[in-house]
Amino acid sequence: MDEQKANVRSVERALDILLCFTDATDLGLSEISSRLSLHKSTVHRLLATLENKGFLIRDVQTEKYRLGFRIWELSANLTHNDDPATLLLPEMERLRDLVEETISLYVRDGNERIRIQAVQSRQPIRRVAPIGARMPLAVGASSKVLVAYDEPHVLEQVLNDPDWPEYVNREAYVEQLDQIKRLGFATSVEERELGTAAVAVPIFNRNGQLVASIAASGPSNRLTPEKMSEYAPYIMEAAYRMGKMMK
């Protein structure tokens, strides 16, 4: 491998290390090495570089790493006018107070959806929605919304995903998408997690383009099908206001 390719590979591996922290607060050398299937010596060298540059912080007692302040410095310079996670937060908080359930904002990335913002319910028993979580598009109310209202090639791409779960019937899935487009919203009950339910609607920008999905989620014994149908118009109204805020 020539020097240029080696340098590119090192950058890729360093970024892979940072991405390990999308679903974990702190990780040790062995955990990161196992996740990336890399030798500990290689990971140790990259961790030292990331720590030196301020992207990671090492706890001297536990020998575990967590994201450093340099990450937050970078995020502070996001263009907030174009960032839906920031721009739509006040509307999400207003919706949370209206339906009293956790509100999440999702975008599609390939054959996954990513939660880019969340406002937790104030209920004692609530759905906790971590920001940055990735989920498949085969199940879940927001997943089906993001596929139903996107271009036809997205549906084909999702249906042909080699990681499509065997327990999900493709024909039934397509029928659900047709129903979602007729109703204007999607619901799910215990499709991903036992005891949870969600209702989701699409967000279109001022040009009519699908940009995200907004969902209310909570315990399935409280967020019943009847309640979800009751809340759907409120969420659709909020989504309409959100869309008018986006270019």
Side-chain angles (χ1 to χ4, degrees):
M1 182 182 297
D2 59 39
E3 184 177 354
Q4 184 177 3
K5 289 183 178 179
N7 289 338
V8 171
R9 185 59 181 148
S10 293
V11 173
E12 289 178 344
R13 287 172 170 174
L15 292 173
D16 286 339
I17 288 175
L18 291 177
L19 290 173
C20 286
F21 292 88
T22 57
D23 61 354
T25 303
D26 50 19
L27 293 167
L29 171 62
S30 297
E31 294 171 291
I32 297 172
S33 175
S34 176
R35 283 184 176 217
L36 300 181
S37 300
L38 293 174
H39 291 297
K40 288 184 180 180
S41 58
T42 300
V43 174
H44 184 270
R45 183 174 67 253
L46 294 169
L47 286 170
T49 300
L50 290 168
E51 182 184 6
N52 183 53
K53 291 293 185 180
F55 289 97
L56 292 176
I57 297 174
R58 180 172 59 91
D59 189 310
V60 294
Q61 294 183 331
T62 64
E63 291 296 320
K64 290 195 172 187
Y65 295 82
R66 67 179 187 275
L67 293 176
F69 296 113
R70 188 67 69 184
I71 296 291
W72 308 119
E73 290 177 16
L74 289 174
S75 66
N77 288 317
L78 284 171
T79 306
H80 295 323
N81 290 336
D82 299 326
D83 175 28
T86 302
L87 184 66
L88 304 182
L89 185 56
E91 281 292 340
M92 294 178 65
E93 292 173 339
R94 187 178 295 113
L95 182 59
R96 182 270 314 275
D97 294 341
L98 180 63
V99 302
E100 298 184 317
E101 297 293 355
T102 294
I103 305 300
S104 297
L105 183 68
Y106 296 93
V107 295
R108 183 179 68 85
D109 182 26
N111 286 346
E112 294 179 309
R113 59 178 159 118
I114 308 173
R115 184 184 292 116
I116 62 171
Q117 186 60 279
V119 180
Q120 309 297 340
S121 168
R122 293 194 176 98
Q123 299 268 21
I125 300 176
R126 60 184 180 272
R127 170 82 190 288
V128 177
I131 296 173
R134 286 177 171 266
M135 286 146 276
L137 292 176
V139 292
S142 283
S143 291
K144 287 179 282 190
V145 160
L146 289 172
V147 178
Y149 289 96
D150 214 323
E151 299 295 327
H153 76 270
V154 173
L155 173 58
E156 292 301 319
Q157 177 182 312
V158 172
L159 291 175
N160 293 319
D161 185 353
D163 293 325
W164 178 274
E166 294 183 1
Y167 63 88
V168 179
N169 181 280
R170 286 179 171 84
E171 291 184 4
Y173 178 83
V174 173
E175 289 177 2
Q176 287 179 355
L177 299 188
D178 291 337
Q179 182 181 29
I180 290 165
K181 285 187 282 188
R182 289 195 300 271
L183 296 175
F185 66 92
T187 63
S188 63
V189 179
E190 299 186 340
E191 289 190 8
R192 287 192 56 257
E193 301 175 43
L194 289 176
T196 63
V199 52
V201 308
I203 299 176
F204 300 98
N205 65 16
R206 282 178 282 180
N207 295 321
Q209 298 170 316
L210 176 69
V211 292
S213 169
I214 189 77
S217 61
S220 55
N221 61 350
R222 187 171 68 225
L223 199 56
T224 61
E226 293 76 20
K227 275 293 182 184
M228 288 191 282
S229 294
E230 177 186 335
Y231 291 158
Y234 300 131
I235 304 171
M236 294 168 73
E237 182 180 346
Y240 176 78
R241 291 196 299 270
M242 293 176 183
K244 291 299 181 182
M245 299 166 64
M246 304 183 68
K247 296 178 181 179

